[in-house]
Amino acid sequence: MREVALVYLDRSGGLQKFVHDCKKYNDSKQSYAVYRFIISINPSDIAELDAALGNYILHNPLQAAQIFQSVCFIAIKTLSLIEQLQTEAQISILLKPTHLPPLPSYVLSLSAYPFNYTSQRFYMSEGIVITMGIVTKYTQGARFLCTEETCPFSEGFRYIRVHCPGATESATVRTDFVCSLCSSPLQEDMKFRVLGDKQIVEMIDVKVLNALKGYSSDKSHFRIQAFTVFLR
C-alpha cells in the first residue's frame, strides 16, 4: 500500500505540494516537534489505482493516514527535505477527501434511526448552523521528555503526542504519562507545543425546514435536536 500511495501522490501532484510544504518547514528558523501536512485525496482515483487502498482510506482513515505518514517520512529522509526531522512520529498527516461516494451509507443523518455510526470513517453531513462559539486554541501536538536524566529518552523526540480526530484535549496533553523504558514520569517540553484553532458550532438537520412550511396534514410527531460539531 505504501508503494501505491507514493504512486498516487506522484500522479496527482500531491508529492510536489508535499515537497513545497517541506521547504517552508526547512527554511523556517523555528524548531518543530510536529510537522503537519494536509493531503488532498480523490477516493475514486485511488480506488481505480488500487481498490484495497481506496477502501482502506474510506473506511479506516486514521490507519490509512499512517501509511501516508510512513511514505512521507521516507521521502523526507531520502530527499533530505527537512534536516531537523528525527522520527516518523513527528509527522502528522491529515487526509482530506475531495468527495465521498454518493451512497446513503456515507451520509450521516441524525434524523434517521438507528444511529449506526460507530466506525471512525468519513461521513457527509448537511445541516443548518444555529449557533457558533468563539475561535479558541487546542493542542495539535506536543513533545514529552523523561524526567530521569540518565534515561536515553530524556532527550530527543521519542515521545510525541498528536491530536487525533474525536479525541479530547486530555488525550494529547496530560501529567500522568510515564516512560516506557524506566517508568519515570514524562514532562512536556512547552517550547515545542503546537497549537491550532478550533471552533464549536451547533447544527440542526436540514429536515427541520419541513416544520417551517406551515400546517401539514401529517399527524406524525417529531422533535428537533441540535448536534455539536468541532471545527479544527
Side-chain angles (χ1 to χ4, degrees):
M1 285 189 180
R2 292 186 181 92
E3 182 179 351
V4 176
L6 180 60
V7 172
Y8 172 76
L9 289 176
D10 186 33
R11 293 183 180 180
S12 65
L15 187 59
Q16 183 178 0
K17 180 182 180 300
F18 173 73
V19 172
H20 177 71
D21 292 340
C22 287
K23 187 177 186 302
K24 291 191 296 184
Y25 277 124
N26 197 47
D27 293 343
S28 175
K29 296 181 180 180
Q30 182 179 352
S31 298
Y32 294 89
V34 178
Y35 298 87
R36 191 168 184 261
F37 300 94
I38 299 177
I39 298 179
S40 296
I41 53 175
N42 186 319
S44 299
D45 290 347
I46 295 182
E48 291 182 4
L49 190 63
D50 184 86
L53 180 59
N55 185 70
Y56 201 55
I57 290 174
L58 288 173
H59 298 92
N60 298 281
L62 298 181
Q63 291 76 14
Q66 296 176 359
I67 296 176
F68 284 85
Q69 178 189 31
S70 178
V71 171
C72 292
F73 177 73
I74 295 174
I76 290 175
K77 285 301 184 181
T78 303
L79 303 176
S80 300
L81 298 176
I82 302 178
E83 297 179 359
Q84 308 96 313
L85 180 71
Q86 295 187 21
T87 64
E88 184 176 322
Q90 290 179 260
I91 299 177
S92 175
I93 299 296
L94 177 62
L95 298 180
K96 187 176 180 180
T98 57
H99 66 281
L100 293 180
L103 300 172
S105 59
Y106 291 95
V107 178
L108 188 150
S109 175
L110 296 182
S111 65
Y113 286 92
F115 298 152
N116 189 26
Y117 303 112
T118 56
S119 65
Q120 291 183 322
R121 66 176 177 87
F122 290 117
Y123 290 99
M124 294 180 290
S125 181
E126 187 179 27
I128 304 170
V129 176
I130 56 175
T131 59
M132 299 176 62
I134 61 173
V135 177
T136 58
K137 297 294 184 180
Y138 78 102
T139 303
Q140 286 184 349
R143 174 199 188 193
F144 286 83
L145 298 173
C146 182
T147 54
E148 175 56 54
E149 296 182 356
T150 60
C151 179
F153 297 154
S154 62
E155 56 185 15
F157 293 86
R158 174 63 175 81
Y159 295 112
I160 300 294
R161 304 289 301 180
V162 179
H163 173 82
C164 292
T168 60
E169 184 80 2
S170 61
T172 308
V173 180
R174 289 206 309 266
T175 58
D176 59 348
F177 293 129
V178 296
C179 178
S180 60
L181 184 63
C182 65
S183 299
S184 298
L186 297 181
Q187 185 176 16
E188 182 186 356
D189 186 351
M190 295 299 297
K191 298 190 303 292
F192 286 90
R193 177 178 286 196
V194 181
L195 300 178
D197 294 332
K198 74 174 179 180
Q199 187 174 23
I200 301 177
V201 302
E202 291 285 330
M203 297 180 63
I204 52 176
D205 196 280
V206 292
K207 291 185 178 180
V208 73
L209 293 176
N210 294 330
L212 305 178
K213 292 180 179 179
Y215 178 79
S216 173
S217 59
D218 186 6
K219 301 299 183 181
S220 62
H221 296 279
F222 65 92
R223 69 186 178 95
I224 302 168
Q225 181 170 330
F227 57 97
T228 304
V229 178
F230 290 81
L231 306 178
R232 298 185 184 270

